Amino acid sequence: MTGQAEYEAHPIDRPTLLVTLTGTDRPGLTSAVLSTLAGRGLDVIDAEQVVLRGRLVLGVLLTAPRDHKELKKDLKALAENLEVEIDISKGVGDNEPRRKGRSQVTVIGNPLSAAGLAAIAGRIADIGANIDRISRMARYPVTAMEIAVSGADPDALRAVLALEGVAQRLDVAVQAGGLYRRAKRLIVMDVDSTLIQGEVIEMLAEHAGRLAEVAAVTEQAMRGELDFAESLRHRVATLEGLPTSALDEVYDAIELAPGARTLVRTLKRLGYQFAIVSGGFSQITDKLAAELGIDFAAANVLEIVDGRLTGKVVGEIVDRAGKATALRRFAAASDTPLSQTVAIGDGANDLDMLAAAGLGIAFNAKPVVREAADTHLSVPYLDTILYLLGISREEVEAADADGALN
């Protein structure tokens, strides 16, 4: 090879035509427009089509023919026949390339007000960035929009939009754009109050008649006010003498977070690896992993002697540092770079794990966790995480309707 360019760039000064069609959507409109263009030897440079509540907007950017007046005449006749509107605009060159600093902004509201979305758009404009595209990711049970933005550093954009999101009561996530966003292949999730509703240790403590005491200690540990290992030993000590049947009863009473099954099922279909890591107990998490088809699990091990809990844990405690260690171990086992991992948690015990992952998501988290994570979600639906990964509700429903993928 001689260093010759692999591809020839489009001349930036070539005359072009932008054809824009608007009208009531129905089968055959796009085909009719393109067929009218087909016989003139034109090249398609760009095209985009959207449908909103049955209203079609189609834009096609073409190399301009020498006599565009004849083409304009044909397209006007076509528009009249199809009962649509067609606009033809002559110009020069291709679209402006997107500016450096590309980000994907996900805005989630329940509901998403026009005022809220306007405020987000305003802050994007205030820092000199440009909105390149907006598309809907979900319409229920929340409304989620994905906004492609260029011309701003993602970290600077995140700082601005995080404040506006709080003011508008919206969840706003900002991620760097590009291929890596679509390459995250390992999800590592906390269990208590994230994958499941409630705290397992409190459910066990209720069986032991020590719920109030344990719940108070749990709350302090979640806020980061107590050393986790110390608080765990104190709480587990209250369980001494409980029969192992209490573990089975607690497992049967567990309620998954809304959307948990959808999240795991969808990501597994797409080839993601899934892991759970918990400051709770392996006697529960191992059963959860087996039931949901989760690939990896790590948790503390309750000591059991003669069918009863001794009030102690066995082996190393899975604490804040231990969760991050588990994430790295799972990443190595699944051959996934840390940059392609996603961690999800709600408590101070998850902070190191969230920091170690390529994307850290605080889910209905304590303030200290929300402030430290890359992004946070305050809606109760765990499957909204899919929208942060570029997966729409319509795609999920289509996959569920297709029975071939189970």
Side-chain angles (χ1 to χ4, degrees), residues 46-367:
D46 198 0
E48 190 158 344
Q49 176 174 312
V50 295
V51 178
L52 291 173
R53 211 181 65 183
R55 189 74 176 173
L56 170 72
V57 180
L58 168 66
V60 184
L61 185 64
L62 304 150
T63 55
R66 291 183 178 180
D67 185 2
H68 72 278
K69 293 181 180 180
E70 284 298 317
L71 175 60
K72 189 172 183 178
K73 180 180 177 182
D74 290 347
L75 287 172
K76 290 294 185 183
L78 176 67
E80 187 174 336
N81 183 49
L82 296 176
E83 299 181 337
V84 299
E85 296 179 8
I86 291 182
D87 178 75
I88 299 98
S89 175
K90 189 177 181 182
V92 175
D94 197 349
N95 297 320
E96 291 266 343
R98 289 189 188 180
R99 292 179 288 170
K100 292 183 179 180
R102 299 183 185 179
S103 303
Q104 293 296 138
V105 178
T106 308
V107 182
I108 299 174
N110 189 20
L112 176 58
S113 68
L117 191 58
I120 295 298
R123 299 298 79 73
I124 292 172
D126 287 347
I127 64 172
N130 188 66
I131 293 176
D132 299 320
R133 182 176 290 113
I134 301 177
S135 56
R136 187 179 70 184
M137 304 301 290
R139 61 185 175 88
Y140 72 90
V142 298
T143 301
M145 297 288 178
E146 184 173 84
I147 306 174
V149 175
S150 61
D153 175 73
D155 291 335
L157 186 63
R158 183 180 297 114
V160 170
L161 295 188
L163 293 175
E164 192 60 49
V166 171
Q168 300 298 329
R169 298 184 178 180
L170 299 173
D171 287 333
V172 182
V174 178
Q175 301 174 64
L179 292 176
Y180 281 108
R181 177 170 176 264
R182 301 183 181 276
K184 294 180 174 68
R185 288 299 179 192
L186 173 66
I187 309 294
V188 182
M189 182 179 295
D190 177 43
V191 176
D192 294 300
S193 298
T194 303
L195 179 65
I196 67 172
Q197 301 181 59
E199 300 282 327
V200 166
I201 196 166
E202 293 180 6
M203 297 170 74
L204 289 169
E206 189 170 15
H207 281 265
R210 307 284 291 273
L211 175 58
E213 175 186 351
V214 167
V217 176
T218 298
E219 185 65 21
Q220 287 180 287
M222 291 289 286
R223 292 196 301 263
E225 297 172 1
L226 285 179
D227 173 74
F228 179 81
E230 178 184 353
S231 72
L232 180 69
R233 292 189 182 97
H234 177 81
R235 289 176 290 167
V236 170
T238 68
L239 307 180
E240 182 179 2
L242 266 185
T244 54
S245 59
L247 290 167
D248 296 328
E249 292 172 19
V250 164
Y251 184 81
D252 291 340
I254 283 174
E255 293 185 19
L256 294 174
R261 290 187 186 276
T262 298
L263 175 69
V264 177
R265 180 179 67 248
T266 301
L267 293 179
K268 292 292 292 179
R269 284 173 172 173
L270 294 174
Y272 281 69
Q273 297 282 293
F274 214 100
I276 52 177
V277 57
S278 175
F281 311 114
S282 63
Q283 286 87 350
I284 299 295
T285 57
D286 287 351
K287 293 177 73 172
L288 275 171
E291 178 182 339
L292 296 175
I294 290 170
D295 302 284
F296 307 102
N300 298 298
V301 181
L302 289 168
E303 184 179 62
I304 297 173
V305 175
D306 296 330
R308 292 186 178 273
L309 307 188
T310 67
K312 299 177 182 179
V313 292
V314 179
E316 292 187 12
I317 288 178
V318 179
D319 56 7
R320 175 170 165 171
K323 286 190 171 185
T325 298
L327 180 144
R328 294 186 180 94
R329 185 171 70 250
F330 298 150
S334 62
D335 197 26
T336 304
L338 283 177
S339 61
Q340 294 174 215
T341 62
V342 178
I344 306 158
D346 73 308
N349 200 32
D350 300 312
L351 284 170
D352 288 5
M353 176 178 74
L354 297 177
L359 174 65
I361 302 172
F363 181 73
N364 291 313
K366 302 295 185 288

